[in-house]
């Protein structure tokens, strides 16, 4: 199956700092999503971004599908950004449309005041 | 606020109990999912319903029994669970047109089996 690697596994930031989270994947994809899981367990959909660049407030994401990676940028971090950030992909090409997202292991972000 | 609603948010049950987790969405989505998440791990897919038909069962033990009464509702019936089944159970939905598409999760039901 498709492999998804996220880096770094853990990240501690001072409030106000910027950060970049990376997601590498091993095969072509037709679906890539970034999620934020808050400390209460809720998974919040940040971006649906199989290719290209999107921005939403202080967050932006870029997926370079041909090079099999995606980046999530967090600017001017706030304590409420703390939690785990997951990248999830679904394989494209033959056999696509499987309804099976593969999650990376996540990046745990802690933003300290 | 999430548009996928799960109840209950917390559940404690004994190994001989029968209980159910419920999930509801009103986004007109035609695919609904159950995921299981253990602490410090990513979510793991359990079941997928597409157009109210079970399309994926990821070799889940029969003590977990899914049900999709209509396109808006998804249940997970629990019977004779084991302590290792304690986890966060997440419901999700998507448009369901030829693949997962954009997936939206509920807040989860945190299950403890004693």
């Amino acid at each position: 199956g498709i492999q998804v690697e996220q880096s770094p596994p853990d990240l501690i930031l001072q409030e106000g700092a910027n950060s970049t989270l990376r997601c590498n994947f091993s095969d072509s994809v037709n679906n890539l999503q970034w999620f934020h899981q808050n400390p209460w367990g809720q998974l919040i959909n940040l971006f649906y971004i199989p290719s290209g660049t999107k921005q939403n407030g202080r967050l932006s994401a870029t997926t370079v599908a041909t090079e099999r990676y995606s980046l999530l940028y967090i600017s001017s971090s706030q304590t409420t950004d703390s939690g785990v950030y997951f990248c999830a992909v679904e394989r494209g090409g033959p056999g696509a449309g499987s309804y099976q997202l593969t999650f990376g292991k996540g990046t745990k972000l802690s933003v300290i005041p | 606020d999430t548009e996928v609603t799960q109840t209950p948010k917390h559940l404690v049950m004994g190994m001989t109990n029968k209980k159910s987790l419920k999930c509801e969405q009103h986004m007109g989505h035609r695919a609904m999912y159950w995921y299981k998440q253990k602490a410090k791990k990513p979510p793991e897919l359990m079941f997928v319903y597409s157009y109210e038909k079970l399309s994926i069962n990821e070799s889940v033990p029969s003590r977990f029994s899914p049900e999709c009464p209509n396109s808006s509702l998804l249940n997970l019936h629990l019977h004779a669970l084991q302590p290792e089944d304690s986890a966060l159970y997440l419901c999700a939905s998507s448009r369901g047109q030829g693949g997962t598409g954009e997936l939206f999760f509920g807040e989860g039901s945190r299950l403890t089996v004693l």
Side-chain angles (χ1 to χ4, degrees), chain B residues 3-106:
Chain B
E3 295 186 71
V4 179
T5 305
Q6 289 187 242
T7 56
K9 291 192 171 25
H10 299 274
L11 179 63
V12 179
M13 61 186 290
M15 288 190 284
T16 58
N17 292 156
K18 287 185 183 181
K19 297 284 186 184
S20 297
L21 305 181
K22 298 184 183 299
C23 176
E24 187 170 8
Q25 59 88 13
H26 292 289
M27 294 183 281
H29 289 170
R30 302 310 299 270
M32 296 188 75
Y33 309 73
W34 281 114
Y35 282 82
K36 174 183 177 179
Q37 187 178 24
K38 302 284 276 185
K40 301 187 188 301
K41 299 287 188 184
E44 296 177 352
L45 183 64
M46 299 175 71
F47 302 104
V48 181
Y49 274 84
S50 174
Y51 291 80
E52 293 107 75
K53 288 186 169 48
L54 183 64
S55 62
I56 292 177
N57 175 342
E58 291 285 29
S59 302
V60 179
S62 60
R63 57 185 184 268
F64 295 92
S65 174
E67 178 195 19
C68 188
N70 61 52
S71 60
S72 300
L73 293 174
L74 185 66
N75 299 321
L76 185 62
H77 302 298
L78 314 170
H79 174 53
L81 295 193
Q82 304 296 310
E84 59 264 29
D85 296 322
S86 298
L88 180 66
Y89 289 84
L90 293 157
C91 174
S93 70
S94 71
R95 284 191 180 179
Q97 294 168 340
T100 305
E102 193 169 6
L103 194 63
F104 295 87
F105 283 91

Side-chain angles (χ1 to χ4, degrees), chain A residues 30-108:
Chain A
N30 63 4
N31 184 348
L32 187 145
Q33 291 187 249
W34 284 98
F35 296 95
H36 173 219
Q37 188 162 40
N38 65 25
W40 297 271
Q42 186 179 359
L43 270 166
I44 298 163
N45 187 345
L46 296 176
F47 293 103
Y48 171 69
I49 187 166
S51 65
T53 297
K54 290 186 177 180
Q55 180 154 8
N56 185 359
R58 297 181 295 104
L59 272 58
S60 64
T62 295
T63 297
V64 184
T66 53
E67 297 187 22
R68 299 183 182 170
Y69 73 89
S70 183
L71 301 174
L72 177 68
Y73 305 96
I74 304 174
S75 64
S76 304
S77 58
Q78 301 175 357
T79 55
T80 51
D81 295 331
S82 297
V84 181
Y85 290 80
F86 288 105
C87 168
V89 305
E90 185 172 11
R91 194 169 61 86
S98 65
Y99 296 101
Q100 291 171 303
L101 277 185
T102 299
F103 282 76
K105 292 184 178 179
T107 291
K108 183 178 179 182

